[in-house]
Structure formats: C-alpha cells, structure tokens
Amino acid sequence: MGVWIDGTELPSRGDVIRDALVGAGVDVVAPRPYTHRDLERVHAPDFVAFLATIWDRWVEAGFPEDPGARRVVPYAYPLAKMTSGRPHRSPESLSALVGTFAMDTMTTLGPGSWDAIEAAAHCALTAADLVSEGEPVCYAAVRPPGHHAGRDFYGGSCYLNNAAIAAQRLLDSGAASVAVIDIDAHHGNGTQEIFYRRSDVRYASVHVDPAQGWFPHFVGFADETGADGGVGANLNLPISPGTADQGWLDAVERACAFAAGADSVVVSLGVDAAADDPESPLLVTVDGYRRAGQIVRGTAGSIVAVQEGGYHLDTLGELVLGFLHGLGG
Ligand SMILES: [Zn+2]
C-alpha cells in the first residue's frame, strides 16, 4: 500500500543477544568465511545470486524513487495455478522477478541486507563445523532468522535457511542422520520444504496452529508427514493460542522423542513463544525455555542451536540464556 510501518525483526535484536551472552561469560567466537557454494548445498544458485545482487540492481533501475518501493518488494506473483503447474518463465521486469522468489510483501531487502543474511548463514556453518570438530553444543547467535526460507524462496523475515544450512553441513561432515527440532512459535515451512522428501534429516516443529489464523497460514498442519523417501520424517505439532509452559513442553517432548537416535540435532531456537512477544499468542516463560533446553539436551550427543524469532527486546536476552542454560547444564 506504500505505507511503511516499523518492523520487529530489528538489528538491535542481535545486540541484545550478544550483550546477554557476553554478560553471562559465554565463549563467543566470530564466524569463519565461506563461499556461495557452501550455501548452495541447500539453496538454488540463482536464488543465492538473486539475494546477493538484488539491492544493487534495484537501485540501478531507479526503483527506490517509486512510491512504496524504497526497499525491494514484489509486484506480482506467478501462482502455480496460472500455468497449470508448468514452470513459469523468468520475467524481464525486475519487480516481477522479485515475485518469483518472495512469498510475502513484508520481507524487504535494502542496503546491508545481504551482509547480514550472508553473515548469519556463515555463523550457522561455523557452529556446525565446531560441533563436527568435537564441541558438544554450539549456538549461532544470528539475525535475520531463516526457517521460513526454502530452497529458492524467502519470506517471513527469513532469506537463507540458517538451520537447514547447518543440518546439511553436519551431514556433509560425516553425520549419518540429523534432526531439526523447531521450537519457534511459528511453523518452519522453509525447513520442512527443504527436507520434505528426505529421510536423512528429520524435521519436528512445535508451533501455534496455522488453522487458527497464524503465519505461515498455508502449511504447518499435522497431516504433513513427508513425501517420497521422506514419508514419516516430518512431524508437525500445532498448538492452540494461549498455550503456556506445560502444554508447550509436552509438545517439545514429543518433538524430541521423534528426533531421538539422530547423530546430531539442530534446534531452531525461536523465543517468540514467550508470553510478552508481540508476534505470537503463546505464553511460555523463561523457565519454560530453560526446561526445553534440558529436554533437548538428552536427544543427541552434539547439538547446534540456531537463533530464529524472538522480538520482545526487554526479555529476549534472558529467554535465549534460559534455553542455553538448560541445554548446557
Ligand atoms: Zn517465529
């Protein structure tokens, strides 16, 4: 509509989390450098190239001068039903091209976006490598989050799927099987889609019921259990708005039971299920997150936690630390 409103996925989230970690005496290390090829183990090469270059192309084409276009936003979407399911062509128009990769209009790109997106993915890769090298637990303190991003689409404040990149990295480093446990308040539709036809990465998600009006609206239902070789490797545990610690932890236990036996576990650590969070109607406490960390700790010998959502800046740090204290003992 051309009306800009404040977002909640803000750079200050990263500062808050880092300050909390430093204050707690956590051993903080910087991410290592990686290449596009490392990202392309999960994402389509043309999608990675799009994210890396679209802002410069947007500026070059003069779009920021147009009404409502001072950031990269899609103009039209090629719905599969427009082409009877045939692949759509790549459009000449830059604003139409954006609609071939974007799943919503709220996830914009601007100056500095790619630097943050790429750094977050490199941080997740570093965490996976540290665990492969022998660290039992590693946490990737990243933003933007990633679990709504698929192989070649972005949305829900996510661009590259940091948790999926970490899971694939663990496999590539020798793990025979990996499980992703997603405790963000929202269903990780991107992670589900990336691994939906595979059995080497199981995916279990605890999230607010999309049938009751919550993002990502179209997916995240209990009857989505995987396809082809991945049948039975996907578990969705939708819970009702208003669910507090006990109901949420019961679902976390079920997700962990589903993940048991995996060589390594990746946790999509969204803390937006917290009671004060502006983005979800769940009522989980700091103690609930601490107990979730304790439950997850028993599922595998090596664990990579990757930050997803969590938008209440006043409590964000203690929620993350609560989970990590439970995870690390
Ligand atoms: Zn979320």
Side-chain angles (χ1 to χ4, degrees):
M1 303 291 284
V3 178
W4 287 85
I5 57 174
D6 290 340
T8 53
E9 204 294 283
L10 302 168
S12 50
R13 296 178 62 240
D15 300 331
V16 166
I17 292 171
R18 183 195 54 211
D19 290 349
L21 294 170
V22 170
V26 171
D27 182 16
V28 179
V29 296
R32 302 169 181 175
Y34 295 90
T35 66
H36 280 211
R37 186 161 295 186
D38 297 313
L39 310 175
E40 291 164 5
R41 292 291 297 140
V42 161
H43 292 288
D46 66 336
F47 175 59
V48 175
F50 166 84
L51 289 175
T53 62
I54 185 60
W55 174 246
D56 288 344
R57 296 167 72 190
W58 193 257
V59 170
E60 198 174 310
F63 279 108
E65 313 304 319
D66 288 355
R70 68 181 171 88
R71 294 290 183 267
V72 177
V73 287
Y75 148 76
Y77 296 94
L79 302 181
K81 57 192 171 186
M82 290 167 67
T83 55
S84 300
R86 297 185 311 278
H88 59 77
R89 294 167 195 247
S90 188
E92 275 303 305
S93 159
L94 199 59
S95 57
L97 177 69
V98 178
T100 69
F101 294 114
M103 65 180 240
D104 61 40
T105 57
M106 70 178 171
T107 309
T108 61
L109 287 109
S113 291
W114 175 247
D115 291 341
I117 294 163
E118 187 181 42
H122 289 184
C123 195
L125 283 163
T126 303
D129 282 349
L130 286 167
V131 160
S132 295
E133 293 161 11
E135 291 285 349
V137 176
C138 212
Y139 161 66
V142 304
R143 68 160 292 276
H147 72 152
H148 295 305
R151 180 178 177 275
D152 60 356
F153 64 86
Y154 70 98
S157 300
C158 302
Y159 305 84
L160 294 175
N161 194 314
N162 307 310
I165 288 169
Q168 183 64 50
R169 186 73 172 188
L170 291 165
L171 289 177
D172 292 345
S173 298
S177 65
V178 176
V180 179
I181 299 171
D182 190 331
I183 59 170
D184 186 278
H186 307 95
H187 178 248
N189 60 289
T191 314
Q192 169 173 300
E193 194 58 29
I194 287 167
F195 298 119
Y196 203 62
R197 291 179 160 74
R198 292 169 53 175
S199 60
D200 54 349
V201 179
R202 274 173 277 168
Y203 177 70
S205 177
V206 179
H207 51 270
V208 63
D209 188 358
Q212 298 188 58
W214 292 90
F215 194 87
H217 302 290
F218 310 107
V219 283
F221 300 96
D223 61 359
E224 296 156 16
T225 57
D228 301 335
V231 168
N234 196 87
L235 177 69
N236 286 329
L237 299 165
I239 54 178
S240 292
T243 299
D245 282 4
Q246 197 51 55
W248 185 74
L249 287 166
D250 286 348
V252 171
E253 282 201 22
R254 287 183 62 195
C256 289
F258 184 77
D263 284 349
S264 298
V265 161
V266 175
V267 183
S268 268
L269 176 57
V271 294
D272 48 1
D276 290 329
D277 197 278
E279 298 290 352
S280 99
L282 303 177
L283 302 173
V284 178
T285 65
V286 171
D287 189 56
Y289 270 100
R290 185 185 59 76
R291 288 161 62 194
Q294 290 174 332
I295 295 167
V296 170
R297 183 171 56 174
T299 56
S302 59
I303 296 171
V304 176
V306 179
Q307 187 64 42
E308 300 284 0
Y311 306 99
H312 186 247
L313 294 175
D314 291 347
T315 56
L316 179 56
E318 59 182 316
L319 288 162
V320 170
L321 283 182
F323 181 84
L324 295 180
H325 281 142
L327 191 62

